[in-house]
């Protein structure tokens, strides 16, 4: 059994050692740049953990797991263009460091570098793995579409919000766990359970991410920015608050989210006041916890020795800031 | 054996019947739009012809062939953004009809719709087919990179030009023929020959395309526009003329290709005069013919009944305007 930090190291090494086999350094430099920015590598680590749940041999899962991370970074490069984001992980985004055309094209090539990584899966598993991956990749595009549509929508319901984060975030995390399980040799029942485990984890992860934007503990999670509020992003907190708000609060909230505030600090404080009045923090924390519990109930049903599940339990707890 | 028009019909039908399995019509409408623009469907038709060369059963090749066409159209959508092209096949380009963000995202989803089409290949062939496809897809991105780099380069040599069209155009046509052959059950020697047949066809196709821009016979090939000249595009004609030009002609040519001419007709005529002085038309026609001959010499070595090769011979001849 491998632990979390061993698996992260395996992935980091695999990403550094990716061979591009091309003379076009202008095309590939942005790929190396975004992949070198680091990060938790949540999706590939989950894929390896899910593989390791069923098999002591994880070799055939390493490149497919890296492929998932390359795909994820491809979506970041293109999303940053669409969102006109200038900074990612304290560095300039690809389209800012180079230009929009370069970011489109270097993003595109990542989609096929990613595809090629899956060919390391055993021939028997390949079609199954790719069916899961392609479905998730298409759904991630649907999720980005819904997210873009939300920007122009005056109202977003809870069910619309959940559909968006399901597509944009949860399905790829779900697919990561399922792909790992397939390569590890799990049967259909268990691969489906891993998918549901990952999906619930994905929901918890996104809701927690929404929460940390304003209530994050700098010590544990890094900087609190209120960036979502400044950008008028329709997060779970906003959607839930809109649902619970009395008439006057709703007007205030909609007004705050429709203007480009000149004083971001004042705007963040005003929104936080409304959230506090409506107990949004506690509601959100409870919901993230619920999703983690649902993830665990899926994991419980998986037919392996419970001891093998420790890493998948720990990573879930760590996502919502629980001590391990 | 199927003839050309039967195979084109098969592909057109497959593209119309593609199932997208998603609620996001905003995402998919641009996909349907670009795929409905029509065109020769050269790549998928070649794939089916290559499959049919080895097998009377082409069913397993239909969706993979359609996938190649979806991929090709994905590159058109993104290239049109990068080139700021406003018109394609007499209709507005996707980013003009919708917007740049929509064109990026709807392009992206096409990459994965395309991937998913390959899963119709038999399990035994899948890894082989995808290895060929992914390699070509990555090389097409390299080709677009080289093409973008050319815009800023003062000089482009013949070998640089051929490397660019090899990557941007020839390898996908080559991969189409090879993928069809693999699915048709050809052995390695024959699939490699089909690849080389396709690659030579691709070179001929691109050189002919460069030629038709200025010397096209409106009756046979559609409108002659001189669009490449107006856009200062470094075509084979320009590269060859630059190589053959005497000092004074070279200066004229470089001057003509460095300015934004206010009178496009005058510019086209001036460039054509230089090309005529240097016999560029005859040189280009000879070269396109050479590539077709090389394609035929590859096809000759393929170990099937020569009668089965008729369609692959005819389509090659038709690409350079030879009567069939």
């Amino acid at each position: 059994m491998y632990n979390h930090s061993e698996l992260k190291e395996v992935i980091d090494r695999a990403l550094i050692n990716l061979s591009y086999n091309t003379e076009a350094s202008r095309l590939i430099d942005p790929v190396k740049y975004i992949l070198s920015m680091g990060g938790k590598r949540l999706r590939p680590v989950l894929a390896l953990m899910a593989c390791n749940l069923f098999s002591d041999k994880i070799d055939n899962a390493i490149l497919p797991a890296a492929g998932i991370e390359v795909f994820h970074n491809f979506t970041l490069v293109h999303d940053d263009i669409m969102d006109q984001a200038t900074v990612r992980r304290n560095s300039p985004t690809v389209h800012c460091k180079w230009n929009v055309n370069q970011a489109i094209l270097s993003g595109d090539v990542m989609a096929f570098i990613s595809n090629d990584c899956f060919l390391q899966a055993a021939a028997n598993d390949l079609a199954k793995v790719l069916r899961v991956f392609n479905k998730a990749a298409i759904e991630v595009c649907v999720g980005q579409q819904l997210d873009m549509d939300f920007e122009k929508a005056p109202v977003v319901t809870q069910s619309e919000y959940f559909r968006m984060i399901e597509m944009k975030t949860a399905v790829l995390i779900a697919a990561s766990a399922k792909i790992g399980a397939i390569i590890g040799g799990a049967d259909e029942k268990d691969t489906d359970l891993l998918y549901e485990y990952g999906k619930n984890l994905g929901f918890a992860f996104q809701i927690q991410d929404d929460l940390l934007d304003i209530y994050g503990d700098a010590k544990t999670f890094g900087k609190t920015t209120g960036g979502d509020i400044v950008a008028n992003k329709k997060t779970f907190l906003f959607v839930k608050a809109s649902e619970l708000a009395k008439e006057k609060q709703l007007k205030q909230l909609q007004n705050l989210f429709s203007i480009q505030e000149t004083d971001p600090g004042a705007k963040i404080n005003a929104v936080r006041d409304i959230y506090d009045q409506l107990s949004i923090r506690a509601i959100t924390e409870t919901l993230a916890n619920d999703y983690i519990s649902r993830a665990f109930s899926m994991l419980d049903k998986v037919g392996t020795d419970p001891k093998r599940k420790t890493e998948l339990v720990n990573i879930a707890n760590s996502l919502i800031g629980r001590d391990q």
Side-chain angles (χ1 to χ4, degrees), chain A:
Chain A
M1 295 287 298
Y2 297 89
N3 68 32
H4 188 153
S5 69
E6 286 165 341
L7 294 177
K8 180 161 183 305
E9 223 182 282
V10 166
I11 284 300
D12 283 334
R13 211 178 315 122
L15 289 169
I16 286 169
N17 292 334
L18 275 183
S19 76
Y20 299 104
N21 199 15
T22 160
E23 76 264 52
S25 61
R26 275 200 193 80
L27 180 67
I28 298 300
D29 285 348
V31 179
K32 292 182 180 166
Y33 172 76
I34 180 101
L35 289 176
S36 72
M37 279 186 185
K40 287 186 297 293
R41 313 296 190 199
L42 170 64
R43 295 156 191 80
V45 164
L46 264 184
L48 293 184
M49 282 180 182
C51 177
N52 201 198
L53 177 60
F54 300 97
S55 163
D56 288 323
K57 200 173 154 300
I58 60 165
D59 299 34
N60 280 347
I62 295 172
L63 260 183
I68 294 169
E69 185 68 12
V70 173
F71 168 79
H72 173 58
N73 279 269
F74 145 76
T75 66
L76 298 181
V77 171
H78 280 190
D79 286 3
D80 282 344
I81 304 173
M82 296 181 233
D83 300 343
Q84 299 184 287
T86 56
V87 176
R88 173 167 296 282
R89 294 203 185 102
N90 300 316
S91 294
T93 49
V94 169
H95 68 99
C96 284
K97 192 171 163 75
W98 284 271
N99 55 63
V100 168
N101 281 359
Q102 192 59 63
I104 293 174
L105 189 61
S106 293
D108 287 348
V109 82
M110 292 174 85
F112 300 99
I113 293 169
S114 159
N115 279 334
D116 213 45
C117 288
F118 291 100
L119 295 178
Q120 204 191 33
N124 270 349
D125 296 328
L126 186 57
K128 241 190 283 181
V129 164
L130 285 173
R131 220 172 288 282
V132 175
F133 174 68
N134 292 338
K135 181 169 178 287
I138 290 169
E139 289 176 341
V140 168
C141 294
V142 173
Q144 173 66 4
Q145 181 73 50
L146 295 176
D147 202 10
M148 275 169 27
D149 294 346
F150 280 7
E151 276 172 36
K152 292 168 219 141
V155 181
V156 172
T157 66
Q158 262 202 76
S159 81
E160 286 169 337
Y161 169 84
F162 281 109
R163 182 69 180 157
M164 187 276 281
I165 67 166
E166 178 182 2
M167 298 284 112
K168 186 163 173 174
T169 306
V171 295
L172 187 61
I173 296 176
S176 302
K178 182 167 182 172
I179 287 169
I182 292 170
I183 298 175
D187 63 21
E188 205 182 315
K189 183 198 121 239
D190 282 350
T191 60
D192 287 346
L193 285 168
L194 264 295
Y195 185 86
E196 293 303 322
Y197 158 87
K199 198 171 187 176
N200 283 297
L201 216 65
F203 278 119
F205 174 69
Q206 186 56 56
I207 292 164
Q208 184 74 9
D209 199 59
D210 286 1
L211 187 74
L212 295 180
D213 179 64
I214 175 159
Y215 291 110
D217 174 352
K219 208 174 59 196
T220 318
F221 296 110
K223 241 187 356 194
T224 308
T225 63
D228 290 345
I229 291 174
V230 176
N232 294 332
K233 244 190 112 187
K234 282 150 188 140
T235 63
F236 174 73
L237 286 74
F238 171 79
V239 169
K240 190 70 196 175
S242 300
E243 190 196 82
L244 296 178
K246 303 248 162 62
E247 207 182 318
K248 195 182 143 207
Q249 287 168 320
L250 185 62
K251 265 193 187 153
Q252 275 184 299
L253 200 59
Q254 286 180 336
N255 185 43
L256 283 161
F257 271 75
S258 64
I259 50 167
Q260 287 295 337
E261 182 60 64
T262 48
D263 180 354
K267 179 176 176 176
I268 294 168
N269 285 335
V271 171
R272 197 199 319 238
D273 275 349
I274 299 173
Y275 288 173
D276 285 347
Q277 289 159 27
L278 298 167
S279 306
I280 295 298
R281 178 176 188 165
I283 293 170
T284 310
E285 284 173 346
T286 303
L287 186 64
N289 269 287
D290 281 355
Y291 276 114
I292 293 297
S293 301
R294 280 181 235 176
F296 287 158
S297 75
M298 297 296 156
L299 199 55
D300 283 344
K301 293 181 202 158
V302 173
T304 61
D305 182 346
K307 277 188 216 141
R308 295 192 78 94
K309 300 176 184 172
T310 315
E311 293 298 329
L312 286 166
V313 170
N314 289 347
I315 198 171
N317 279 326
S318 74
L319 279 189
I320 53 163
R322 277 190 205 150
D323 283 345
Q324 291 175 24

